[in-house]
Amino acid sequence: MNMPLSPSAPEAAGLLDGYTHTIGGKAVESERAFPVIDPATGQPFALCPDASRAQLDAAVAAAARAQAMWRHTPLAARRDALRAFAAALRQNRDDLAVLLTREQGKPLHRAQDELDRAANAIDILTGIDIGPEVLRDDASGRVELHYRPLGVVGAITPWNVPIVLATPKIAQALYCGNTIIVKPSPYTPLTTLELGRLARDVLPAGVLNVLAGGNELGQWITEHPGIAKISFTGSVATGKRVLAGASSTIKRVTLELGGNDAAIVLDDVQPREIAPRLFWAAFHNSGQICMAIKRLYVHEAVHDELCDALAQLAREVKVGNGLEEGVELGPVQNRMQFDSVQRVLADTRGRAEARILAGGHALDREGYFIAPTIVAGLGEGTPLVDEETFGPVLPILSFNDVDDAVERANRSRYGLGGSVWTQDLDRGAQIAQRLEVGTAWVNHHLGTDMLLPFGGAKESGLGREYSGMGLKGYMEPTVLKLPAAVRSIGRPTPRP
């Protein structure tokens, strides 16, 4: 990701400013700033402070001081504080949604939904039991597994759904007794900075720190000796750099990376009935979702009818500025990604076997808009099929043998999610279990549940977020062995 350049004074005129980092519970400005681009216009609309190395050091020190207190704060009190933060998020939801749409591009109602889901995620995650586990309790003794906070967590979040990905990291880290430093993407930093502002009134100083910056800040965070864990969501390429940077201090790392999710549609479906669900599982957020459907394998018996139905939906959906009434799909979020999708489309148009059924081009208007695109005729070995395009483009591939479809779906370095679509649920479940992914669905695709672990196989990630499993990734397990006379900590069992 390229860091936006700092603007000169004339270029900065008229841009929204006043955004600040949150360090130690206080608003902090920076000497440098960079422009934030509205993807619906391609023009800057605001200035964002650019954190220095000294400011990161100050944030780590503030987080470490706060953690010494926060880790001993009763779990119920940590829960109450986080739920107060969720309440503040709800109270400011409408204003934040407008800002989120301007910097990310998604339709306003989708931005509102993202903020609602973010607040709900905090409430759900802080209701999960993270108490000790009993591993053994017999004549040989009792063994308990306890969990303790790691210390200071560094969270690095992406530009596609910045708030719904930042708040669960905040909730998990803080609920478990850690403190946190959050770095949003430089493409969508402003709404996350506003989370820090809200937190100043409801969380103890230093518990949540938010700093904006580019690649350099991300590298400083991953390498900083005062940070004990990194939780990163983003591309595979950047995830590998994060892992390398964290290795110098053996940080705990959770990586939620990209995906090239396949959906397999069997021959017993009603194509026009399932087409809307498949369409939105692929095109939600203009295809900029890590677990969206990015390859669609369709049995030849229903292939043509499903292609027609999906192409019709692609031609009818309203694309535009997310602040306009009735818009269903916004722009690609940034110029770099827009150019990347354009290159994939140019390659696709140049292939004789490709049949572009809808879209296939950028829209003739300002901003980073690409027409929703449906492509048939391609196979493996092409960029659109093999790699994660991360845009509003869906290839549809044909098959006549289910074993072949599963093998082709698994022929990928990615393994985030996958789905099977059929009227026979038992058959669907059997096939779905063969997919080499972190999450497999039957007759559904897309979406996360805070009570379920989420993450990827292969190069789609390390570890899991959410659920009890995800929460425990923010803590260090300790095995406690007790002699047979002891039934629990500090409570010896009287002998007869």
Side-chain angles (χ1 to χ4, degrees):
M1 179 182 297
N2 295 321
M3 178 68 191
L5 298 175
S6 295
S8 63
E11 292 171 328
L15 301 186
L16 298 175
D17 60 8
Y19 296 98
T20 55
H21 312 293
T22 297
I23 300 175
K26 297 179 180 179
V28 177
E29 299 178 346
S30 287
E31 293 183 359
R32 298 180 69 246
F34 58 88
V36 180
I37 307 299
D38 181 342
T41 65
Q43 299 300 317
F45 76 96
L47 287 175
C48 178
D50 186 2
S52 67
R53 179 63 184 261
Q55 288 176 324
L56 173 61
D57 289 340
V60 173
R65 288 192 300 270
Q67 204 267 332
M69 170 275 299
W70 183 250
R71 67 180 298 158
H72 297 299
T73 300
L75 185 64
R78 299 202 298 260
R79 177 188 296 116
D80 289 345
L82 281 163
R83 290 185 175 177
F85 177 51
L89 192 56
R90 292 187 179 98
Q91 291 166 5
N92 291 271
R93 172 252 214 184
D94 290 343
D95 289 339
L96 292 175
V98 173
L99 180 60
L100 180 57
T101 291
R102 291 203 69 183
E103 66 175 343
Q104 202 282 330
K106 64 187 58 181
L108 181 59
H109 71 278
R110 296 292 189 187
Q112 292 169 338
D113 177 65
E114 178 171 344
L115 289 157
D116 289 339
R117 289 188 294 127
N120 291 339
I122 296 172
D123 288 345
I124 294 169
L125 287 165
T126 55
I128 297 174
D129 179 22
I130 56 172
E133 304 168 22
V134 177
L135 302 182
R136 188 174 68 211
D137 190 6
D138 55 25
S140 66
R142 181 181 176 93
V143 181
E144 299 174 342
L145 185 61
H146 290 252
Y147 295 88
R148 57 181 173 82
L150 293 166
V152 178
V153 172
I156 303 174
T157 57
W159 46 258
N160 58 333
V161 277
I163 304 306
V164 88
L165 288 172
T167 49
K169 296 181 190 297
I170 294 168
Q172 291 173 107
L174 270 56
Y175 183 53
C176 294
N178 307 286
T179 52
I180 192 167
I181 297 166
V182 179
K183 177 207 170 296
S185 164
Y187 291 118
T188 55
L190 303 179
T191 314
T192 308
L193 287 177
E194 288 296 279
L195 293 186
R197 179 181 62 81
L198 295 178
R200 295 171 205 159
D201 294 329
V202 294
L203 294 175
V207 166
L208 170 59
N209 305 272
V210 184
L211 280 72
N215 283 348
E216 195 172 41
L217 176 60
Q219 182 177 349
W220 294 339
I221 290 173
T222 60
E223 295 176 351
H224 201 291
I227 294 176
K229 175 187 169 72
I230 299 293
S231 177
F232 171 81
T233 301
S235 70
V236 172
T238 305
K240 290 178 179 180
R241 292 196 294 271
V242 168
L243 188 61
S247 67
S248 62
T249 52
I250 317 296
K251 287 180 174 59
R252 305 306 184 252
V253 177
T254 300
L255 302 177
E256 181 191 331
L257 307 180
N260 194 17
D261 286 18
I264 299 174
V265 179
L266 304 187
D267 58 356
D268 61 349
V269 302
Q270 297 296 319
R272 296 194 179 276
E273 179 182 316
I274 67 169
R277 285 184 285 158
L278 289 168
F279 180 86
W280 287 110
F283 287 92
H284 179 71
N285 204 31
S286 297
Q288 299 167 119
I289 298 285
C290 57
M291 71 187 96
I293 295 175
K294 299 188 178 75
R295 297 176 289 156
L296 190 58
Y297 291 88
V298 182
H299 194 280
E300 61 185 14
V302 294
H303 175 273
D304 291 351
E305 186 177 357
L306 186 56
C307 283
D308 290 344
L310 290 170
Q312 181 179 349
L313 290 168
R315 290 189 290 267
E316 293 175 349
V317 69
K318 183 175 181 180
V319 180
N321 187 316
L323 296 178
E324 296 172 1
E325 189 71 27
V327 166
E328 297 171 281
L329 291 178
V332 172
Q333 199 284 319
N334 58 77
R335 181 73 199 209
M336 182 180 70
Q337 189 60 30
F338 177 77
D339 290 343
S340 176
V341 176
Q342 287 274 67
R343 286 192 293 272
V344 173
L345 288 177
D347 175 89
T348 300
R349 290 193 299 266
R351 295 179 180 272
E353 71 273 23
R355 292 184 291 119
I356 297 178
L357 307 179
H361 55 84
L363 298 184
D364 186 16
R365 58 174 294 172
E366 65 177 5
Y368 308 137
F369 291 94
I370 291 176
T373 300
I374 303 291
V375 180
L378 292 180
E380 289 77 16
T382 60
L384 179 56
V385 174
D386 289 358
E387 294 302 323
E388 182 182 33
T389 302
F390 219 64
V393 185
L394 178 66
I396 303 177
L397 299 87
S398 178
F399 73 89
N400 59 21
D401 177 80
V402 172
D403 291 339
D404 174 63
V406 171
E407 190 277 329
R408 292 163 66 189
N410 287 336
R411 196 190 306 163
S412 173
R413 66 190 180 106
Y414 300 98
L416 193 56
S419 60
V420 178
W421 298 73
T422 176
Q423 295 190 51
D424 186 337
L425 297 184
D426 289 338
R427 184 186 183 205
Q430 292 172 5
I431 296 170
Q433 290 179 71
R434 296 168 59 190
L435 297 176
E436 297 169 355
V437 296
T439 301
W441 295 275
V442 177
N443 293 346
H444 179 76
H445 200 119
L446 200 61
T448 54
D449 183 331
M450 293 297 111
L451 294 176
L452 304 178
F454 178 75
K458 302 180 183 178
E459 291 192 15
S460 286
L462 287 176
R464 292 295 184 267
E465 295 274 19
Y466 321 142
S467 77
M469 181 184 295
L471 284 163
K472 287 168 182 174
Y474 287 79
M475 297 183 285
E476 190 70 50
T478 299
V479 174
L480 178 64
K481 290 187 172 183
L482 302 167
V486 179
R487 307 300 341 132
S488 62
I489 301 175
R491 296 179 182 177
T493 301
R495 294 189 181 277

